Amino acid sequence: MTSAPRVVRLEDYAVPDWLVDSVHLDFDLHPRETVVSARMEMRRNPEAGGPEIVPLELDGEELEHLSLRIDGREAAPSEYVVDDRRLVLPRPPADRFVLETRVRIDPEGNTALSGLYRTGGNYCTQCEAEGFRRITWWPDRPDVLSRFTVRMEADAEENPVLLSNGNLVGSGPAGDGRHYAVWEDPFRKPSYLFALVAGDLGVREGTFTTMGGREVTLRIWVQKGKEARAGWALESLKAAMRWDEERFGREYDLDEYNIVAVPDFNMGAMENKSLNVFNDKYILADAETATDKDFENIEAIIGHEYFHNWTGNRITCRDWFQLCLKEGLTVFRDQEFTSDLRSRAVKRIEDVRNLRARQFPEDAGPLAHPVRPDRYAAIDNFYTATVYEKGAEVVRMLHTLLGEETFMRAMDIYFARYDGTAATVEDFIACMEEASGRDLSQFFRWYTQAGTPHLAISQDHDPERGTLRLTITQSIPDTPGQTNKKPHHIPLRIALLDGAGRELPLVTEDGRRLDDGLLEITGRRQSFVFTGVKERPVLSANRGFSAPIRLETGQGLEELLFLMARDRDPFNRWEAAQTVARRLVLDEPHERTQSLSEYAAALATVVRDLRETDPAFLAEMLRLPGVNVLASFLESDVNPQALHDTRNRVLARIAGTLEPLLRETFDMLAVTESWSPSHEQAGRRAARAAALSLLMHADGDAAARLARETWERATNMTERAMAISALSQSASPLREEVLDAFIGRFGDDHLMVDKWLAWHATWPHRDCVERVRALMESDWFSLKNPNRVRSLVGMFASANPVAFARADGAGFALVADTILELDRLNPQVAARLATTFRNWRTYEPVRRERAREALERIAASGRLSGDLGDIVTRTLGTA
Ligand code: 0A1
Ligand code: ZN
């Protein structure tokens, strides 16, 4: 069993006793033995108080301690204590002194990919959250901000490129075929933003002139020979820099901006000051190898990391409980970036889809935690959908409540007041209060209470008096460690529609007119009465998904179909269509027949209505909820196979009715101009993909032929993916044929191997378990590379409910075996993979037992990492 991890609590926060004003780091880089020397200017923190002498404690992990000097002299053994996690000076010599340490580390042996490690033959670092302590002794917490100077020395031939944060201030030969570079970062920063890269890389370069006239050199570093695939990333970076100036008034602050793409990375990317490191999957793109979705993701993630320069780097977090301060806010910013550049409606739908698929299930299970957690055993496990995506929803609600202008005024106050500091969520909210003059204390509960609020709305129309009363009740489910929650402050955007879909004026009993349709819900039960409502209107509620809640309006099929056709809020049009589709699958069979044909007819109208004007939106309307989303609406007795079968029957009926129209639409939307990753072209391809995939449910053979033709004629990766994804829905032998052809053609490109593994992993068939096991044994797979693991095993567990939750437990066993083996190499990725079990209690009894066995087998296997142990004990409820 694992040793009980130390739990860190928000309430125990205390300012650091010691600060590091500046540090000189020296790296003597060798693959197996790198020596790191640190010269730190230590100073007692005047804000800490305490007795005259306060020990200095530094964090360290997997460091081989070599030497320690205090104020230039060798420290005596009695002056310090070292163990495998800490270096302590019980009696530091003075309130200011210079501490010099030397340690040896092993980059090549670092399979955890945290700290300094090797990837693609190069050196690279990852320090968030607690990786810096795997490089050198340090007070490894985000509220210790220091000025960094970094010297590195390495073999010149193998490592012509030497990079770190800030500005290059010196370089030259260092003898013995080695060379060196010195980098100085003028901005004080916490250790988690430190980065170093050394190796042999190709570069794509550009420039950007900021609004203040500073010319910035932009460089995207990639594996040699792939420079041509870095063009989109470079353009995206320029777009992000321009957008942050225009929308948030934020300018870049250094003369250089470097991005390095690496093939081995635990997450998507990292915002290190002026030296971002990216998973190369989020950099490399061209028509041949990347789908439209890849292009969109690259743009968004480049934006995300760039936006961190102000929300994260210039203003960082006081402690890791405040993670959402940088992440929720920065996700909100990247969502706005994509919305402004592309389609606001489609982006909102994508984000809500993602929230429902990942965050709602998290919030409803044993791993639920507040947007700002108040305790953790392993901080790596809190890079969650709740902190990121729900965190962004909370910022979005503030934006909704305050309006763009006031919100931006609050942001300006925040930037001015906290620049150069490590802040808290309270600091941020105080700026919002100051700019708006509002009391946001109730709103603050969004940060402290976990669980997705349920809202129910009932309507009472009085035709005689011409009034409509909306009665709204809210409740928040219990979550681990939290019961009896208090009501939230919820911005609920609504409209009342007349028979033609026009919005009625919203006039309350006291004569107030709500021009923006925004209701503020604050009580457990609240009523709103609107006057001048003669005919019974149709309610459009939570427009634009103004709050991240589960909503029950009690609306029937007729009203939902009306909203699907007529609502001017595109999000709610989509929402109504999703609700009907969901009910078609989840309701009793006898309730389906009539509804099915009405739904198919409504969908046909939508297709005709949108295919020429907004194909990207049409694509969303045609994508019906998948098994995981359907399951997330059930609290118990989930049987993914049964859901899958029913869903397929429903899809077959719909597709059967729509077949000629879908076929016609597919042909009509073909892109004939030369390829571009533009939103317009991408929208057409997305609508064709959705049509083709639905067609596969109608007449398997005809559609399979169409998919094959699509594959053969494809001139870009989006069209290839369109064909393969469609075929993946079927049992057609063509699927295998096309997958073989794909790997034959693209097998020497690791990112294409990932796509291929993911298609295999998501084949919704029980035999997929054996297929995945076989692929794991093949040379295509490696447990050491996180992208391979996520593409094959991660996708299997998170996006193939039919096979993962196979009734005999073989899918669970496969994932459990992988987790155990992986934990010895890379605990972060192993722990993340284990979160795929988070909703195990909602399965029907047989599957639930199988999942429990798999989890208990992991728990009992001895010597789990802290990260994995934390997930497993919380998931089982034994924490
Ligand atoms: N701050 C990064 C995410 C990130 C977090 C942890 C990492 O290593 C364990 C790496 C990246 C972001 O939000 O993009
Ligand atoms: Zn981030």
Side-chain angles (χ1 to χ4, degrees):
M1 288 300 287
T2 46
S3 55
R6 200 172 58 92
V7 172
V8 187
R9 293 186 162 75
L10 171 58
E11 70 221 36
D12 294 340
Y13 175 82
V15 298
D17 288 324
W18 289 91
L19 304 173
V20 191
D21 286 331
S22 66
V23 58
H24 282 250
L25 290 171
D26 193 303
F27 289 83
D28 189 17
L29 293 165
H30 296 272
R32 302 249 38 154
E33 305 201 313
T34 286
V35 173
V36 184
S37 313
R39 182 178 187 282
M40 309 149 74
E41 303 214 359
M42 307 300 309
R43 177 165 58 94
R44 266 292 288 275
N45 183 0
E47 281 168 34
E52 205 160 307
I53 292 181
V54 174
L56 167 66
E57 286 193 21
L58 304 179
D59 303 296
E61 241 178 75
E62 315 244 325
L63 305 175
E64 184 191 342
H65 169 67
L66 298 177
S67 71
L68 183 73
R69 296 171 79 82
I70 297 172
D71 283 333
R73 61 172 176 81
E74 196 74 34
S78 60
E79 286 181 281
Y80 67 99
V81 187
V82 193
D83 66 21
D84 61 348
R85 309 214 60 126
R86 247 166 271 290
L87 185 155
V88 183
L89 272 65
R91 301 178 59 84
D95 284 357
R96 282 172 187 271
F97 66 101
V98 175
L99 186 69
E100 289 169 271
T101 61
R102 269 174 69 239
V103 297
R104 186 160 30 224
I105 55 179
D106 175 8
E108 190 78 49
N110 182 354
T111 58
L113 313 186
S114 164
L116 176 68
Y117 65 95
R118 302 273 291 168
T119 169
N122 303 315
Y123 296 90
C124 143
T125 57
Q126 171 52 42
C127 295
E128 189 175 5
E130 297 179 338
F132 193 72
R133 64 185 64 184
R134 296 163 58 86
I135 294 175
T136 193
W137 296 110
W138 193 259
D140 197 7
R141 43 188 289 169
D143 55 353
V144 173
L145 308 184
S146 312
R147 270 191 71 136
F148 281 71
T149 304
V150 178
R151 182 183 185 282
M152 70 191 91
E153 193 180 303
D155 183 281
E157 203 171 309
E158 285 173 13
N159 309 281
V161 180
L162 304 175
L163 303 170
S164 190
N165 317 89
N167 305 312
L168 179 67
V169 295
S171 63
D176 268 352
R178 293 173 70 78
H179 70 156
Y180 78 94
V182 181
W183 289 80
E184 216 174 70
D185 185 350
F187 289 91
R188 290 159 71 242
K189 66 170 177 287
S191 55
Y192 82 88
L193 291 173
F194 163 81
L196 172 152
V197 170
D200 193 4
L201 295 155
V203 68
R204 178 95 183 218
E205 207 171 292
T207 58
F208 177 82
T209 307
T210 69
M211 58 185 183
R214 179 200 287 274
E215 180 157 304
V216 186
T217 303
L218 315 175
R219 293 196 190 88
I220 317 263
W221 301 88
V222 297
Q223 199 186 343
K224 276 206 158 147
K226 296 195 174 161
E227 296 83 349
R229 280 161 76 181
W232 179 252
L234 185 61
E235 290 317 307
S236 300
L237 177 57
K238 292 180 197 166
M241 295 175 89
R242 184 64 69 214
W243 181 87
D244 212 14
E245 291 182 345
E246 288 172 357
R247 181 88 192 268
F248 277 82
R250 297 296 111 200
E251 186 178 4
Y252 188 58
D253 49 18
L254 280 163
D255 299 331
E256 272 196 50
Y257 196 95
N258 288 292
I259 295 179
V260 181
V262 300
D264 304 272
F265 201 70
N266 281 350
M267 310 276 274
M270 180 63 209
E271 70 262 23
N272 318 299
K273 183 81 187 184
S274 76
L275 178 50
N276 293 176
V277 176
F278 269 62
N279 188 326
D280 61 3
K281 147 182 192 170
Y282 295 121
I283 291 290
L284 299 173
D286 60 16
E288 270 298 293
T289 57
T291 62
D292 294 325
K293 191 70 201 158
D294 292 327
F295 278 87
E296 184 184 331
N297 284 337
I298 289 169
E299 184 181 270
I301 296 175
I302 291 263
H304 180 95
E305 306 311 329
Y306 176 73
F307 303 144
H308 267 315
N309 189 51
W310 274 96
T311 49
N313 301 2
R314 293 284 292 248
I315 304 179
T316 193
C317 298
R318 186 191 73 173
D319 53 69
W320 290 121
F321 296 104
Q322 321 296 328
L323 187 56
C324 67
L325 177 68
K326 74 177 177 84
E327 295 305 347
L329 178 54
T330 305
V331 171
F332 169 77
R333 276 152 55 69
D334 82 54
Q335 290 176 347
E336 284 299 295
F337 172 55
T338 303
S339 306
D340 285 347
L341 259 58
R342 294 169 178 251
S343 153
R344 183 160 288 273
V346 170
K347 177 60 177 163
R348 192 68 190 129
I349 291 166
E350 286 170 356
D351 289 340
V352 173
R353 232 187 239 290
N354 181 40
L355 193 76
R356 285 211 175 111
R358 296 173 51 239
Q359 201 278 325
F360 278 23
E362 181 169 88
D363 231 358
L367 300 181
H369 56 275
V371 168
R372 183 175 73 179
D374 51 19
R375 60 201 54 221
Y376 62 77
I379 189 58
D380 290 340
N381 291 335
F382 283 83
Y383 288 77
T384 59
T386 298
V387 169
Y388 275 65
E389 274 79 32
K390 189 175 180 181
E393 290 300 318
V394 175
V395 176
R396 183 169 298 285
M397 287 189 285
L398 286 167
H399 182 269
T400 302
L401 287 167
L402 271 58
E404 167 81 2
E405 208 183 308
T406 309
F407 178 85
M408 286 301 171
R409 228 178 21 249
M411 288 302 304
D412 287 343
I413 297 174
Y414 177 65
F415 289 128
R417 186 166 303 159
Y418 294 103
D419 188 13
T421 73
T424 62
V425 174
E426 280 82 355
D427 296 334
F428 176 70
I429 293 297
C431 297
M432 295 286 150
E433 291 190 320
E434 189 175 317
S436 65
R438 299 187 57 142
D439 175 359
L440 295 171
S441 46
Q442 183 180 1
F443 184 85
F444 202 85
R445 289 178 196 150
W446 281 106
Y447 286 103
T448 57
Q449 296 190 145
T452 308
H454 287 229
L455 225 71
I457 307 184
S458 65
Q459 304 178 45
D460 188 3
H461 181 235
D462 183 338
E464 246 120 83
R465 293 179 51 221
T467 58
L468 180 80
R469 174 186 295 270
L470 298 182
T471 303
I472 302 177
T473 54
Q474 64 161 305
S475 63
I476 308 161
D478 291 349
T479 47
Q482 288 190 334
T483 53
N484 297 322
K485 294 175 205 186
K486 302 213 174 85
H488 274 300
H489 180 178
I490 300 174
L492 189 72
R493 205 181 283 288
I494 65 154
L496 301 177
L497 307 182
D498 71 10
R502 282 184 302 247
E503 289 152 17
L504 299 175
L506 291 175
V507 183
T508 57
E509 272 179 318
D510 52 9
R512 263 189 329 128
R513 197 179 149 141
L514 292 178
D515 284 326
D516 56 1
L518 197 64
L519 304 183
E520 295 194 24
I521 315 296
T522 50
R524 285 185 206 284
R525 187 186 166 86
Q526 222 168 322
S527 287
F528 297 84
V529 178
F530 298 103
T531 57
V533 191
K534 291 274 175 282
E535 308 277 310
R536 195 192 156 92
V538 176
L539 172 68
S540 169
N542 207 25
R543 294 185 122 195
F545 207 65
S546 61
I549 54 172
R550 291 182 191 260
L551 178 66
E552 184 45 70
T553 61
Q555 284 166 308
L557 183 69
E558 200 184 330
E559 286 191 321
L560 291 170
L561 293 178
F562 174 84
L563 290 170
M564 179 174 159
R566 295 294 181 82
D567 201 328
R568 291 182 191 172
D569 179 65
F571 177 82
N572 265 6
R573 256 186 110 173
W574 173 81
E575 180 76 327
Q578 293 286 302
T579 307
V580 178
R582 189 175 74 232
R583 289 199 199 155
L584 286 174
V585 180
L586 298 180
D587 284 358
E588 294 300 314
H590 61 264
E591 294 182 24
R592 252 178 235 142
T593 320
Q594 176 66 15
S595 321
L596 256 167
S597 38
E598 288 179 39
Y599 177 65
L603 215 48
T605 310
V606 164
V607 172
R608 288 196 197 89
D609 189 20
L610 291 174
R611 60 185 174 180
E612 269 156 302
T613 54
D614 197 348
F617 180 46
L618 172 61
E620 296 300 338
M621 293 295 282
L622 288 176
R623 284 178 55 197
L624 307 190
V627 170
N628 275 338
V629 168
L630 294 167
S632 76
F633 282 84
L634 303 172
E635 269 162 30
S636 57
D637 279 311
V638 170
N639 177 341
Q641 182 71 57
L643 283 173
H644 174 77
D645 295 342
T646 313
R647 179 178 183 270
N648 273 356
R649 280 195 294 275
V650 167
L651 286 175
R653 286 278 307 277
I654 296 170
T657 316
L658 297 183
E659 190 176 0
L661 182 66
L662 289 172
R663 181 62 223 242
E664 182 187 288
T665 306
F666 181 84
D667 292 338
M668 200 175 123
L669 292 179
V671 176
T672 49
E673 326 67 286
S674 65
W675 178 92
S676 117
S678 68
H679 174 64
E680 290 66 35
Q681 276 197 17
R684 267 144 74 194
R685 286 188 284 266
R688 296 184 91 215
L692 181 59
S693 152
L694 251 182
L695 279 168
M696 294 299 295
H697 291 272
D699 170 357
D701 288 341
R705 280 195 301 278
L706 185 58
R708 168 185 231 137
E709 237 173 74
T710 305
W711 162 260
E712 280 162 358
R713 291 194 192 156
T715 57
N716 56 68
M717 186 54 73
T718 306
E719 288 171 347
R720 283 183 202 109
M722 181 188 306
I724 298 178
S725 304
L727 286 170
S728 297
Q729 321 254 352
S730 75
S732 158
L734 266 179
R735 180 181 159 276
E736 293 286 309
E737 222 181 276
V738 167
L739 282 173
D740 288 350
F742 182 92
I743 202 64
R745 173 156 174 196
F746 294 104
D748 56 2
D749 182 328
H750 61 272
L751 295 179
M752 303 305 103
V753 173
D754 289 338
K755 289 189 188 300
W756 180 76
L757 291 173
W759 283 314
H760 278 295
T762 50
W763 177 39
H765 193 286
R766 64 190 312 283
D767 294 348
C768 189
V769 180
E770 285 71 28
R771 170 60 56 89
V772 169
R773 271 210 194 266
L775 283 167
M776 285 183 73
E777 297 301 316
S778 77
D779 288 343
W780 299 114
F781 184 76
S782 163
L783 263 188
K784 286 198 172 157
N785 177 275
N787 285 1
R788 275 334 77 74
V789 172
R790 284 186 285 251
S791 296
L792 188 59
V793 195
M795 288 299 282
F796 171 80
S798 63
N800 192 347
V802 163
F804 174 54
R806 203 166 90 174
D808 65 358
F812 297 141
L814 164 79
V815 177
D817 292 344
T818 311
I819 290 167
L820 283 170
E821 212 184 323
L822 184 58
D823 194 40
R824 277 175 258 139
L825 297 168
N826 189 331
Q828 281 182 21
V829 178
R832 191 159 281 251
L833 184 55
T835 64
T836 54
F837 282 98
R838 67 180 170 220
N839 299 106
W840 67 277
R841 278 183 203 278
T842 62
Y843 291 125
E844 50 77 27
V846 172
R847 287 175 168 84
R848 188 165 66 224
E849 232 7 75
R850 299 287 94 84
R852 182 207 298 279
E853 282 160 17
L855 278 164
E856 283 176 347
R857 182 157 63 83
I858 299 174
S861 76
R863 296 207 133 267
L864 300 190
S865 68
D867 284 8
L868 179 58
D870 171 53
I871 293 289
V872 172
T873 48
R874 281 194 287 142
T875 304
L876 277 167
T878 50

